[in-house]
Amino acid sequence: QANSLQILEEGACHLLKLSTSACEELTPSGQKTKVRDRTHWAAYYLKRAGCLISVKRGHYQITERGKSLLAKNSKIDTKTLLQFE
C-alpha cells in the first residue's frame, strides 16, 4: 500500500511532466531519488507550518490552515511557510 509521500512523488512526476530518468535521478549520496528528497523536505516544512499533520508514519492529512493557504496562493514556497511559527 502506497503512503502519502509515495503518492505525492508520483503525482509530482506526472504534474511536472518529468521523464522517467528525471524521476529516478538519485541524490549525490545515491540513497534516494531527488523527487523523494524534495517531497520529504516539502512535507517537513508543511508540517512545521501547521499545514499538514502526520496521521501515521508516511501518511499525511492537510489541515484547515493548509487548505486556506492553498486557496489563497498559487505558489507555496519555503518563504511563504516560514511566516508561521
Side-chain angles (χ1 to χ4, degrees), residues 41-85:
W41 277 111
Y44 170 79
Y45 281 106
L46 287 163
K47 277 179 58 179
R48 284 195 57 192
C51 297
L52 283 182
I53 57 170
S54 181
V55 291
K56 66 180 183 178
R57 184 182 173 109
H59 294 263
Y60 298 90
Q61 183 175 347
I62 192 168
T63 64
E64 288 304 316
R65 177 184 280 178
K67 289 177 186 177
S68 176
L69 188 64
L70 189 57
K72 294 176 188 173
N73 298 277
S74 61
K75 178 183 177 183
I76 299 173
D77 56 15
T78 307
K79 183 178 177 181
T80 305
L81 296 175
L82 290 175
Q83 70 183 325
F84 301 105
E85 289 186 23

Side-chain angles (χ1 to χ4, degrees), residues 9-10 12-14 17-39:
E9 291 167 27
E10 292 168 9
C13 286
H14 177 73
K17 296 180 171 85
L18 299 176
S19 67
T20 302
S21 61
C23 290
E24 294 174 352
E25 187 176 345
L26 298 176
T27 58
S29 70
Q31 298 297 315
K32 56 187 167 184
T33 65
K34 286 185 177 182
V35 172
R36 173 163 288 185
D37 183 62
R38 301 314 188 276
T39 304

